[in-house]
Amino acid sequence: MAEETATGAALQIILNELEIQRKKVSDIKTKAYLFLAGGVILIAIGVLLGSLMIAGAISGGASIITSIVLFSNSSQKFNDYRHEFKQRVVATVLKSIDPSLEIEYKYGLPESDFINSQLFTQRPDRYRSQDQIYGNAGKTRFSFSEVHAEYKTETQTKNGRQEHWHTILKGIVFCADFNKHFNGLTVVKPKDMGSALGAWISDKMPIFSSSSKQLVKLENIQFNKAFVTYSTDQVEARYILTPAMMERLCELNDKSADTISVSFIGSYVYIAFPLEKDYFEPPVFKSLLTTKSLDEDLSIIRFMYAIINELDLNTRIWGKE
């Protein structure tokens, strides 16, 4: 209790200091928007009145240039403020959960690991990952990162080719040591229309399967309602997806806003959580001293940390230490 009180007091001091930085960033950004709006209005008035066009253009242009300078200045100050927030606030919160937890906010899950996890069949054409948090929960090493992966399609129009970007995943990818080296690959996907049709084709007409992964029929009704499972090794898939594991994955899925995707490959379990917003980002126009955004960040960190216990990954059922 005393340690928690000391951590809370230290965190409050940090937040008070960063609140000063936040206000400076907010003030500069506000001025930048005002100068930009003023410049646009002056140019518009000059165009409408005709005779004042040159004067309006000059004044408006000067105002817009000022806004550009202010935006550039605010961008640098925001980067400094963001760095301090990640390194001091998030790091302090992490240590309050588990002393082993660390954050590398400039880095995330490598694209090669995202692809190799085989959580999604579509390869990304544009990929970004950051805010990697890693550590140990008991005997289990784990990490999770924000990921935004997209693929591109093109259509031919009368004005030329047009690009369209589609989200593969915007959310968090969790990775943990499963304490066994898998011989095959097992993937658990949300049971939407596409995966249900794919499962039917794989079941009825295996010759049309585009890979060596085949449908795994499991006996948990609740699990089968939410997920469809494929594996390159039917026996191993059932060895992994025990009744207890399926029940735990259902409970984890119920706690998530959207249906999760899971893969077991190498000696790791990967779990993808679709999310609507970016986490671990400091507010600009809202006070740091109100705890809502920080509480949301803290809840997602605790949620990820709890996965180790949720899936009972510290139990060495295969004897690996």
Side-chain angles (χ1 to χ4, degrees), residues 240-261:
I240 296 167
L241 295 169
T242 61
M245 175 60 76
M246 285 189 285
E247 186 174 325
R248 291 188 180 107
L249 285 173
C250 286
E251 290 173 357
L252 186 63
N253 187 57
D254 288 341
K255 293 176 182 178
S256 179
D258 293 292
T259 307
I260 63 176
S261 300

Side-chain angles (χ1 to χ4, degrees), residues 10-20 85 89 288-289 291 294:
L11 183 60
Q12 192 60 52
I13 292 171
I14 296 170
L15 290 174
N16 289 335
E17 293 174 359
L18 290 184
E19 177 67 4
I20 297 172
F85 179 81
V89 176
L288 263 178
L289 304 181
T291 60
L294 189 58

Side-chain angles (χ1 to χ4, degrees), residues 170-197:
K170 178 176 171 56
I172 288 177
V173 175
F174 172 93
C175 173
D177 177 14
F178 200 75
N179 308 304
K180 170 182 167 53
H181 184 81
F182 305 118
N183 296 317
L185 162 69
T186 298
V187 182
V188 177
K189 294 180 175 290
K191 194 169 187 177
D192 55 21
M193 287 295 292
S195 60
L197 177 61

Side-chain angles (χ1 to χ4, degrees), residues 50-122:
S51 61
L52 298 177
M53 184 173 179
I54 295 177
I58 293 173
S59 300
S63 184
I64 290 173
I65 291 171
T66 301
S67 75
I68 293 172
V69 172
L70 287 171
F71 276 124
S72 177
N73 189 16
S74 69
S75 178
Q76 181 57 53
K77 289 189 178 297
F78 173 76
N79 288 337
D80 294 340
Y81 161 59
R82 183 173 181 265
H83 173 82
E84 290 293 307
F85 179 81
K86 304 267 188 176
Q87 293 295 93
R88 299 178 68 190
V89 176
V90 177
T92 299
V93 169
L94 290 177
K95 296 299 182 184
S96 71
I97 297 173
D98 189 305
S100 75
L101 295 181
E102 303 281 351
I103 181 170
E104 290 283 353
Y105 75 89
K106 293 182 179 179
Y107 303 96
L109 182 74
E111 184 176 357
S112 58
D113 288 0
F114 179 82
I115 294 170
N116 292 337
S117 73
Q118 299 201 36
L119 286 165
F120 302 92
T121 54
Q122 187 74 47

Side-chain angles (χ1 to χ4, degrees), residues 31-310:
K31 289 177 182 177
Y33 284 120
L34 290 173
F35 272 102
L36 178 61
V40 172
I41 291 170
L42 286 171
I43 291 174
I45 291 173
V47 171
L48 289 174
L49 297 181
S51 61
L52 298 177
M53 184 173 179
I54 295 177
I58 293 173
S59 300
S63 184
I64 290 173
I65 291 171
T66 301
S67 75
I68 293 172
V69 172
L70 287 171
F71 276 124
S72 177
N73 189 16
S74 69
S75 178
Q76 181 57 53
K77 289 189 178 297
F78 173 76
N79 288 337
D80 294 340
Y81 161 59
R82 183 173 181 265
H83 173 82
E84 290 293 307
F85 179 81
K86 304 267 188 176
Q87 293 295 93
R88 299 178 68 190
V89 176
V90 177
T92 299
V93 169
L94 290 177
K95 296 299 182 184
S96 71
I97 297 173
D98 189 305
S100 75
L101 295 181
E102 303 281 351
I103 181 170
E104 290 283 353
Y105 75 89
K106 293 182 179 179
Y107 303 96
L109 182 74
E111 184 176 357
S112 58
D113 288 0
F114 179 82
I115 294 170
N116 292 337
S117 73
Q118 299 201 36
L119 286 165
F120 302 92
T121 54
Q122 187 74 47
R123 292 177 70 94
D125 295 309
R126 187 162 64 190
Y127 181 86
R128 182 173 65 88
S129 182
Q130 61 182 4
D131 288 331
Q132 183 177 71
I133 291 174
Y134 60 92
N136 297 285
K139 300 175 183 178
T140 303
R141 184 76 173 166
F142 74 97
S143 67
F144 60 93
S145 308
E146 282 193 15
V147 169
H148 191 189
E150 301 168 281
Y151 71 93
K152 180 178 69 174
T153 59
E154 294 183 346
T155 56
Q156 184 66 46
T157 68
K158 62 181 180 180
N159 297 320
R161 299 190 70 82
Q162 187 173 1
E163 291 184 356
H164 305 275
W165 289 95
H166 312 271
T167 295
I168 300 170
L169 173 71
K170 178 176 171 56
I172 288 177
V173 175
F174 172 93
C175 173
D177 177 14
F178 200 75
N179 308 304
K180 170 182 167 53
H181 184 81
F182 305 118
N183 296 317
L185 162 69
T186 298
V187 182
V188 177
K189 294 180 175 290
K191 194 169 187 177
D192 55 21
M193 287 295 292
S195 60
L197 177 61
W200 184 86
I201 292 173
S202 174
D203 185 31
K204 303 297 182 184
M205 297 173 284
I207 194 170
F208 292 104
S209 177
S210 60
S211 73
S212 57
K213 295 192 294 291
Q214 294 296 313
L215 175 69
V216 181
K217 291 184 176 180
L218 298 164
E219 297 177 357
N220 186 307
I221 296 174
Q222 182 186 0
F223 187 85
N224 290 333
K225 284 182 179 179
F227 304 109
V228 60
T229 304
Y230 299 94
S231 182
T232 58
D233 188 325
Q234 295 269 338
V235 174
E236 186 174 68
R238 289 178 174 80
Y239 200 49
I240 296 167
L241 295 169
T242 61
M245 175 60 76
M246 285 189 285
E247 186 174 325
R248 291 188 180 107
L249 285 173
C250 286
E251 290 173 357
L252 186 63
N253 187 57
D254 288 341
K255 293 176 182 178
S256 179
D258 293 292
T259 307
I260 63 176
S261 300
V262 188
S263 68
F264 302 87
I265 185 170
S267 58
Y268 296 95
V269 54
Y270 293 89
I271 310 175
F273 296 86
L275 297 171
E276 292 296 325
K277 58 166 280 187
D278 292 333
Y279 282 83
F280 320 124
E281 293 299 325
V284 174
F285 298 108
K286 293 181 180 179
S287 174
L288 263 178
L289 304 181
T290 58
T291 60
K292 183 179 179 182
S293 61
L294 189 58
D295 286 345
E296 289 176 351
D297 291 349
L298 186 57
S299 68
I300 197 70
I301 293 169
R302 284 178 171 154
F303 179 82
M304 293 295 157
Y305 183 79
I307 289 173
I308 306 299
N309 289 328
E310 292 277 353

